[in-house]
């Protein structure tokens, strides 16, 4: 017996999970998982008539993924050195040629 397809929120949430499974970028992964959690949360609230466990679990997943997405985005921010000496040292010591990120050099200086 063939059942009818589920609600469109459920289908979009699962499509978001599919996108997360094929992603290479961690920031994209976290953002897509946050979208999936939000869609599952809405599905639990609107379609399942406020299924508390579905709403709470997906709210937790949404907060976790948004927190990690913010942390990843913050770690990718461009670093500018406050002192000219640090910029000169970064270039002269060859850190740029070795492809060592400015953030690592910033921590060492």
């Amino acid at each position: 017996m063939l059942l009818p397809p589920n609600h469109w929120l459920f289908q979009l949430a699962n499509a978001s999970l599919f996108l997360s499974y094929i992603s290479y970028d961690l920031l994209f992964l976290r953002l897509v998982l946050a979208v999936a959690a939000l869609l599952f949360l809405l599905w639990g609230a609107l379609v399942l008539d406020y299924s508390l466990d579905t709403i709470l679990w997906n709210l937790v997943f949404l907060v976790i993924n948004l927190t990690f997405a913010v942390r990843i985005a913050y770690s990718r921010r461009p670093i500018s050195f406050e002192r000219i000496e640090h910029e000169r040292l970064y270039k002269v010591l060859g850190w740029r040629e070795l492809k060592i990120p400015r953030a690592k050099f910033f921590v060492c200086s």
Side-chain angles (χ1 to χ4, degrees):
M1 177 158 114
L2 189 61
L3 295 175
N6 217 322
H7 195 266
W8 62 272
L9 280 171
F10 182 80
Q11 300 298 335
L12 278 177
N14 281 305
S16 298
L17 289 178
F18 175 75
L19 282 177
S20 74
Y21 295 151
I22 61 171
S23 69
Y24 289 103
D25 184 35
L26 280 180
L27 181 60
F28 180 75
L29 170 84
R30 291 298 183 168
L31 290 174
V32 171
L33 284 174
V35 167
L38 179 64
L39 290 170
F40 276 126
L41 189 149
L42 290 172
W43 175 69
L46 301 175
V47 177
L48 298 182
D49 203 22
Y50 294 100
S51 171
L52 189 60
D53 59 341
T54 304
I55 293 170
L56 289 179
W57 275 112
N58 284 290
L59 182 64
V60 168
F61 296 149
L62 177 66
V63 169
I64 289 171
N65 283 304
L66 286 178
T67 302
F68 275 100
V70 167
R71 290 182 64 195
I72 292 168
Y74 181 75
S75 71
R76 292 183 181 179
R77 75 193 187 288
I79 301 285
S80 60
F81 300 119
E82 294 177 11
R83 299 173 63 187
I84 295 291
E85 294 85 21
H86 289 146
E87 183 69 40
R88 223 177 286 139
L89 279 173
Y90 181 74
K91 290 177 183 173
V92 169
L93 293 178
W95 287 60
R96 185 173 49 181
E97 287 77 18
L98 294 173
K99 305 240 187 283
I100 297 173
R102 296 169 80 85
K104 296 259 190 224
F105 179 78
F106 187 72
V107 170
C108 294
S109 60

